[in-house]
Amino acid sequence: MATDGKKIVLITGANTGIGYETVKALLQSTQPYHIILGSRSVEKGNSAKAELQKEFPNTPTSIEVLQVDISSDKSIGDAFEKVKANHGHIDALVNNAGHSVQPVPGKRTLREAWNEDYDVNVSGTQVMTHVFAPLLIRAPGARLLFVTSGLASLQRLHGSWYAGGPEPSEPGWPKASENPLSAYRSSKTALNMMMLNWHYLLKPDGVKVFSISPGMLATNLGGIGPERLKAMGAGHPSIGGNIIKDVIEGKRDAEAGQVVAGQGVQPF
């Protein structure tokens, strides 16, 4: 597939939320791209592509839908073979696909909830990166991004329970203030360690590696719902998309190997 020398950007989970807004941000860039829009569902991916092309009919950036479910090794392997055959390299991999669930009596145990979050946010992301690394190192100036969370910061949590939440001061069990996002935030802390591993591993290849902390944004992640998140002060997902675009375009290169936030870097 000819891409006319455009930089090739692969984004997982790009049919919705921050991934979708990242595609929109790149479509509005003065730099033309070929975007590989990763989606677990081909139908949802094609629907997102159609909406984007309708909104931006004159963009020089092209979009290709790729079916990829990062919780499946086979799906990742099949996606790799397609991208390798069509392009031979990628200039940027944005590990955006994420997962957040809570235990539900009779439906999902505590262990299952934690395992689901780690399977996507850590294990699946690691496998996706490992499989696609050969295509990244073929591109000069390639970039590898991991979308993390402000909740992942150990330094921010130290000395307080969680941002905006009550101190768990009541005695007894269960705790009314038990954080329902413990699995999610712990998995994103692990993701930041993963990013550091890749940062040092790919340094000899010239690949710049980052975590991206977009802040609290109104997405569907975790099933809370965008409207409820907006009421809690969440920003528009386009904020995250624009941060990612800036990193892809080299505007935050001095912060490689760190957790890039809207302003400055987030402490580990």
PDB file of all heavy atoms in Angstrom, residues 192-216:
ATOM      1  N   ASN A 192       4.098   2.401  33.389  1.00  0.00           N
ATOM      2  CA  ASN A 192       5.187   3.381  33.391  1.00  0.00           C
ATOM      3  C   ASN A 192       6.552   2.704  33.548  1.00  0.00           C
ATOM      4  O   ASN A 192       7.542   3.141  32.946  1.00  0.00           O
ATOM      5  CB  ASN A 192       4.976   4.405  34.503  1.00  0.00           C
ATOM      6  CG  ASN A 192       3.840   5.363  34.208  1.00  0.00           C
ATOM      7  OD1 ASN A 192       3.422   5.512  33.060  1.00  0.00           O
ATOM      8  ND2 ASN A 192       3.326   6.014  35.241  1.00  0.00           N
ATOM      9  N   MET A 193       6.613   1.642  34.328  1.00  0.00           N
ATOM     10  CA  MET A 193       7.856   0.879  34.428  1.00  0.00           C
ATOM     11  C   MET A 193       8.173   0.217  33.093  1.00  0.00           C
ATOM     12  O   MET A 193       9.334   0.170  32.655  1.00  0.00           O
ATOM     13  CB  MET A 193       7.749  -0.165  35.540  1.00  0.00           C
ATOM     14  CG  MET A 193       8.966  -1.071  35.646  1.00  0.00           C
ATOM     15  SD  MET A 193      10.501  -0.174  36.001  1.00  0.00           S
ATOM     16  CE  MET A 193      10.301   0.089  37.777  1.00  0.00           C
ATOM     17  N   MET A 194       7.135  -0.289  32.436  1.00  0.00           N
ATOM     18  CA  MET A 194       7.309  -0.877  31.116  1.00  0.00           C
ATOM     19  C   MET A 194       7.886   0.146  30.142  1.00  0.00           C
ATOM     20  O   MET A 194       8.791  -0.156  29.353  1.00  0.00           O
ATOM     21  CB  MET A 194       5.967  -1.390  30.590  1.00  0.00           C
ATOM     22  CG  MET A 194       6.044  -2.090  29.237  1.00  0.00           C
ATOM     23  SD  MET A 194       4.409  -2.233  28.466  1.00  0.00           S
ATOM     24  CE  MET A 194       3.493  -3.031  29.775  1.00  0.00           C
ATOM     25  N   MET A 195       7.358   1.354  30.193  1.00  0.00           N
ATOM     26  CA  MET A 195       7.865   2.422  29.330  1.00  0.00           C
ATOM     27  C   MET A 195       9.351   2.659  29.559  1.00  0.00           C
ATOM     28  O   MET A 195      10.137   2.780  28.602  1.00  0.00           O
ATOM     29  CB  MET A 195       7.089   3.717  29.589  1.00  0.00           C
ATOM     30  CG  MET A 195       7.545   4.914  28.763  1.00  0.00           C
ATOM     31  SD  MET A 195       8.958   5.858  29.438  1.00  0.00           S
ATOM     32  CE  MET A 195       8.244   6.571  30.916  1.00  0.00           C
ATOM     33  N   LEU A 196       9.775   2.693  30.819  1.00  0.00           N
ATOM     34  CA  LEU A 196      11.199   2.901  31.114  1.00  0.00           C
ATOM     35  C   LEU A 196      12.048   1.761  30.568  1.00  0.00           C
ATOM     36  O   LEU A 196      13.142   1.987  30.047  1.00  0.00           O
ATOM     37  CB  LEU A 196      11.409   3.037  32.621  1.00  0.00           C
ATOM     38  CG  LEU A 196      11.102   4.408  33.224  1.00  0.00           C
ATOM     39  CD1 LEU A 196      11.214   4.347  34.749  1.00  0.00           C
ATOM     40  CD2 LEU A 196      12.026   5.475  32.670  1.00  0.00           C
ATOM     41  N   ASN A 197      11.548   0.544  30.679  1.00  0.00           N
ATOM     42  CA  ASN A 197      12.279  -0.593  30.114  1.00  0.00           C
ATOM     43  C   ASN A 197      12.485  -0.407  28.610  1.00  0.00           C
ATOM     44  O   ASN A 197      13.591  -0.615  28.092  1.00  0.00           O
ATOM     45  CB  ASN A 197      11.514  -1.900  30.367  1.00  0.00           C
ATOM     46  CG  ASN A 197      11.614  -2.371  31.801  1.00  0.00           C
ATOM     47  OD1 ASN A 197      12.582  -2.092  32.497  1.00  0.00           O
ATOM     48  ND2 ASN A 197      10.604  -3.103  32.250  1.00  0.00           N
ATOM     49  N   TRP A 198      11.430  -0.020  27.904  1.00  0.00           N
ATOM     50  CA  TRP A 198      11.535   0.185  26.462  1.00  0.00           C
ATOM     51  C   TRP A 198      12.400   1.400  26.125  1.00  0.00           C
ATOM     52  O   TRP A 198      13.122   1.413  25.121  1.00  0.00           O
ATOM     53  CB  TRP A 198      10.146   0.325  25.847  1.00  0.00           C
ATOM     54  CG  TRP A 198       9.456  -0.992  25.691  1.00  0.00           C
ATOM     55  CD1 TRP A 198       8.426  -1.482  26.450  1.00  0.00           C
ATOM     56  CD2 TRP A 198       9.744  -2.010  24.734  1.00  0.00           C
ATOM     57  NE1 TRP A 198       8.064  -2.739  26.024  1.00  0.00           N
ATOM     58  CE2 TRP A 198       8.859  -3.090  24.968  1.00  0.00           C
ATOM     59  CE3 TRP A 198      10.673  -2.122  23.697  1.00  0.00           C
ATOM     60  CZ2 TRP A 198       8.870  -4.255  24.204  1.00  0.00           C
ATOM     61  CZ3 TRP A 198      10.690  -3.279  22.932  1.00  0.00           C
ATOM     62  CH2 TRP A 198       9.794  -4.333  23.182  1.00  0.00           C
ATOM     63  N   HIS A 199      12.348   2.415  26.971  1.00  0.00           N
ATOM     64  CA  HIS A 199      13.164   3.621  26.761  1.00  0.00           C
ATOM     65  C   HIS A 199      14.642   3.260  26.677  1.00  0.00           C
ATOM     66  O   HIS A 199      15.354   3.689  25.766  1.00  0.00           O
ATOM     67  CB  HIS A 199      12.909   4.602  27.898  1.00  0.00           C
ATOM     68  CG  HIS A 199      13.857   5.761  27.954  1.00  0.00           C
ATOM     69  ND1 HIS A 199      13.967   6.697  26.951  1.00  0.00           N
ATOM     70  CD2 HIS A 199      14.751   6.131  28.920  1.00  0.00           C
ATOM     71  CE1 HIS A 199      14.883   7.599  27.282  1.00  0.00           C
ATOM     72  NE2 HIS A 199      15.371   7.270  28.466  1.00  0.00           N
ATOM     73  N   TYR A 200      15.094   2.454  27.622  1.00  0.00           N
ATOM     74  CA  TYR A 200      16.510   2.072  27.631  1.00  0.00           C
ATOM     75  C   TYR A 200      16.812   0.997  26.586  1.00  0.00           C
ATOM     76  O   TYR A 200      17.881   1.007  25.967  1.00  0.00           O
ATOM     77  CB  TYR A 200      16.917   1.614  29.025  1.00  0.00           C
ATOM     78  CG  TYR A 200      16.959   2.755  30.005  1.00  0.00           C
ATOM     79  CD1 TYR A 200      16.015   2.882  31.021  1.00  0.00           C
ATOM     80  CD2 TYR A 200      17.923   3.763  29.887  1.00  0.00           C
ATOM     81  CE1 TYR A 200      16.038   3.957  31.902  1.00  0.00           C
ATOM     82  CE2 TYR A 200      17.955   4.837  30.760  1.00  0.00           C
ATOM     83  CZ  TYR A 200      17.010   4.929  31.759  1.00  0.00           C
ATOM     84  OH  TYR A 200      17.026   6.000  32.618  1.00  0.00           O
ATOM     85  N   LEU A 201      15.870   0.092  26.363  1.00  0.00           N
ATOM     86  CA  LEU A 201      16.084  -0.988  25.399  1.00  0.00           C
ATOM     87  C   LEU A 201      16.243  -0.457  23.977  1.00  0.00           C
ATOM     88  O   LEU A 201      17.085  -0.942  23.207  1.00  0.00           O
ATOM     89  CB  LEU A 201      14.911  -1.969  25.459  1.00  0.00           C
ATOM     90  CG  LEU A 201      15.048  -3.244  24.613  1.00  0.00           C
ATOM     91  CD1 LEU A 201      16.176  -4.119  25.149  1.00  0.00           C
ATOM     92  CD2 LEU A 201      13.726  -4.015  24.616  1.00  0.00           C
ATOM     93  N   LEU A 202      15.465   0.550  23.606  1.00  0.00           N
ATOM     94  CA  LEU A 202      15.451   1.037  22.224  1.00  0.00           C
ATOM     95  C   LEU A 202      16.307   2.287  22.002  1.00  0.00           C
ATOM     96  O   LEU A 202      16.363   2.802  20.887  1.00  0.00           O
ATOM     97  CB  LEU A 202      14.010   1.323  21.787  1.00  0.00           C
ATOM     98  CG  LEU A 202      13.072   0.113  21.755  1.00  0.00           C
ATOM     99  CD1 LEU A 202      11.694   0.524  21.248  1.00  0.00           C
ATOM    100  CD2 LEU A 202      13.636  -1.021  20.900  1.00  0.00           C
ATOM    101  N   LYS A 203      16.993   2.730  23.055  1.00  0.00           N
ATOM    102  CA  LYS A 203      17.871   3.893  22.894  1.00  0.00           C
ATOM    103  C   LYS A 203      18.901   3.693  21.786  1.00  0.00           C
ATOM    104  O   LYS A 203      19.124   4.594  20.972  1.00  0.00           O
ATOM    105  CB  LYS A 203      18.574   4.217  24.219  1.00  0.00           C
ATOM    106  CG  LYS A 203      18.137   5.533  24.836  1.00  0.00           C
ATOM    107  CD  LYS A 203      18.962   5.889  26.055  1.00  0.00           C
ATOM    108  CE  LYS A 203      18.554   7.272  26.553  1.00  0.00           C
ATOM    109  NZ  LYS A 203      19.349   7.669  27.741  1.00  0.00           N
ATOM    110  N   PRO A 204      19.574   2.532  21.702  1.00  0.00           N
ATOM    111  CA  PRO A 204      20.565   2.351  20.634  1.00  0.00           C
ATOM    112  C   PRO A 204      19.973   2.419  19.229  1.00  0.00           C
ATOM    113  O   PRO A 204      20.688   2.665  18.264  1.00  0.00           O
ATOM    114  CB  PRO A 204      21.121   0.946  20.917  1.00  0.00           C
ATOM    115  CG  PRO A 204      20.830   0.695  22.352  1.00  0.00           C
ATOM    116  CD  PRO A 204      19.532   1.377  22.612  1.00  0.00           C
ATOM    117  N   ASP A 205      18.658   2.214  19.126  1.00  0.00           N
ATOM    118  CA  ASP A 205      17.989   2.251  17.822  1.00  0.00           C
ATOM    119  C   ASP A 205      17.451   3.637  17.485  1.00  0.00           C
ATOM    120  O   ASP A 205      16.877   3.831  16.407  1.00  0.00           O
ATOM    121  CB  ASP A 205      16.834   1.245  17.804  1.00  0.00           C
ATOM    122  CG  ASP A 205      17.312  -0.170  18.076  1.00  0.00           C
ATOM    123  OD1 ASP A 205      17.914  -0.763  17.176  1.00  0.00           O
ATOM    124  OD2 ASP A 205      17.097  -0.659  19.202  1.00  0.00           O
ATOM    125  N   GLY A 206      17.613   4.594  18.417  1.00  0.00           N
ATOM    126  CA  GLY A 206      17.145   5.952  18.165  1.00  0.00           C
ATOM    127  C   GLY A 206      15.653   6.152  18.321  1.00  0.00           C
ATOM    128  O   GLY A 206      15.100   7.177  17.911  1.00  0.00           O
ATOM    129  N   VAL A 207      14.965   5.185  18.944  1.00  0.00           N
ATOM    130  CA  VAL A 207      13.524   5.310  19.168  1.00  0.00           C
ATOM    131  C   VAL A 207      13.287   6.102  20.453  1.00  0.00           C
ATOM    132  O   VAL A 207      13.840   5.758  21.500  1.00  0.00           O
ATOM    133  CB  VAL A 207      12.849   3.928  19.273  1.00  0.00           C
ATOM    134  CG1 VAL A 207      11.347   4.086  19.523  1.00  0.00           C
ATOM    135  CG2 VAL A 207      13.092   3.111  18.007  1.00  0.00           C
ATOM    136  N   LYS A 208      12.484   7.142  20.367  1.00  0.00           N
ATOM    137  CA  LYS A 208      12.150   7.944  21.547  1.00  0.00           C
ATOM    138  C   LYS A 208      10.874   7.385  22.170  1.00  0.00           C
ATOM    139  O   LYS A 208       9.879   7.173  21.486  1.00  0.00           O
ATOM    140  CB  LYS A 208      11.992   9.412  21.168  1.00  0.00           C
ATOM    141  CG  LYS A 208      13.314  10.062  20.767  1.00  0.00           C
ATOM    142  CD  LYS A 208      13.136  11.533  20.471  1.00  0.00           C
ATOM    143  CE  LYS A 208      14.489  12.227  20.319  1.00  0.00           C
ATOM    144  NZ  LYS A 208      15.308  11.657  19.217  1.00  0.00           N
ATOM    145  N   VAL A 209      10.913   7.168  23.487  1.00  0.00           N
ATOM    146  CA  VAL A 209       9.840   6.468  24.192  1.00  0.00           C
ATOM    147  C   VAL A 209       9.265   7.372  25.286  1.00  0.00           C
ATOM    148  O   VAL A 209      10.023   8.037  26.011  1.00  0.00           O
ATOM    149  CB  VAL A 209      10.355   5.143  24.793  1.00  0.00           C
ATOM    150  CG1 VAL A 209       9.224   4.370  25.435  1.00  0.00           C
ATOM    151  CG2 VAL A 209      11.040   4.305  23.712  1.00  0.00           C
ATOM    152  N   PHE A 210       7.952   7.375  25.408  1.00  0.00           N
ATOM    153  CA  PHE A 210       7.270   8.255  26.350  1.00  0.00           C
ATOM    154  C   PHE A 210       6.068   7.552  26.973  1.00  0.00           C
ATOM    155  O   PHE A 210       5.433   6.707  26.345  1.00  0.00           O
ATOM    156  CB  PHE A 210       6.697   9.499  25.646  1.00  0.00           C
ATOM    157  CG  PHE A 210       7.638  10.248  24.764  1.00  0.00           C
ATOM    158  CD1 PHE A 210       7.916   9.796  23.475  1.00  0.00           C
ATOM    159  CD2 PHE A 210       8.237  11.433  25.190  1.00  0.00           C
ATOM    160  CE1 PHE A 210       8.771  10.493  22.637  1.00  0.00           C
ATOM    161  CE2 PHE A 210       9.090  12.144  24.352  1.00  0.00           C
ATOM    162  CZ  PHE A 210       9.360  11.667  23.072  1.00  0.00           C
ATOM    163  N   SER A 211       5.715   7.957  28.199  1.00  0.00           N
ATOM    164  CA  SER A 211       4.367   7.742  28.717  1.00  0.00           C
ATOM    165  C   SER A 211       3.621   9.061  28.550  1.00  0.00           C
ATOM    166  O   SER A 211       4.226  10.142  28.645  1.00  0.00           O
ATOM    167  CB  SER A 211       4.378   7.338  30.189  1.00  0.00           C
ATOM    168  OG  SER A 211       4.674   5.969  30.353  1.00  0.00           O
ATOM    169  N   ILE A 212       2.322   8.967  28.318  1.00  0.00           N
ATOM    170  CA  ILE A 212       1.483  10.149  28.150  1.00  0.00           C
ATOM    171  C   ILE A 212       0.419  10.142  29.233  1.00  0.00           C
ATOM    172  O   ILE A 212      -0.370   9.201  29.338  1.00  0.00           O
ATOM    173  CB  ILE A 212       0.791  10.172  26.768  1.00  0.00           C
ATOM    174  CG1 ILE A 212       1.808   9.943  25.640  1.00  0.00           C
ATOM    175  CG2 ILE A 212       0.031  11.482  26.586  1.00  0.00           C
ATOM    176  CD1 ILE A 212       2.847  11.012  25.507  1.00  0.00           C
ATOM    177  N   SER A 213       0.383  11.197  30.049  1.00  0.00           N
ATOM    178  CA  SER A 213      -0.642  11.335  31.072  1.00  0.00           C
ATOM    179  C   SER A 213      -1.570  12.481  30.668  1.00  0.00           C
ATOM    180  O   SER A 213      -1.259  13.646  30.894  1.00  0.00           O
ATOM    181  CB  SER A 213      -0.014  11.626  32.439  1.00  0.00           C
ATOM    182  OG  SER A 213      -1.012  11.750  33.428  1.00  0.00           O
ATOM    183  N   PRO A 214      -2.701  12.159  30.046  1.00  0.00           N
ATOM    184  CA  PRO A 214      -3.548  13.217  29.477  1.00  0.00           C
ATOM    185  C   PRO A 214      -4.404  13.963  30.485  1.00  0.00           C
ATOM    186  O   PRO A 214      -5.041  14.962  30.139  1.00  0.00           O
ATOM    187  CB  PRO A 214      -4.418  12.446  28.482  1.00  0.00           C
ATOM    188  CG  PRO A 214      -4.519  11.077  29.062  1.00  0.00           C
ATOM    189  CD  PRO A 214      -3.198  10.819  29.728  1.00  0.00           C
ATOM    190  N   GLY A 215      -4.443  13.487  31.739  1.00  0.00           N
ATOM    191  CA  GLY A 215      -5.314  14.110  32.725  1.00  0.00           C
ATOM    192  C   GLY A 215      -6.684  13.454  32.735  1.00  0.00           C
ATOM    193  O   GLY A 215      -6.969  12.552  31.942  1.00  0.00           O
ATOM    194  N   MET A 216      -7.554  13.900  33.634  1.00  0.00           N
ATOM    195  CA  MET A 216      -8.903  13.322  33.728  1.00  0.00           C
ATOM    196  C   MET A 216      -9.753  13.858  32.579  1.00  0.00           C
ATOM    197  O   MET A 216     -10.055  15.059  32.519  1.00  0.00           O
ATOM    198  CB  MET A 216      -9.559  13.653  35.072  1.00  0.00           C
ATOM    199  CG  MET A 216     -10.891  12.946  35.246  1.00  0.00           C
ATOM    200  SD  MET A 216     -11.598  13.089  36.905  1.00  0.00           S
ATOM    201  CE  MET A 216     -12.065  14.819  36.962  1.00  0.00           C
TER     202      MET A 216
END
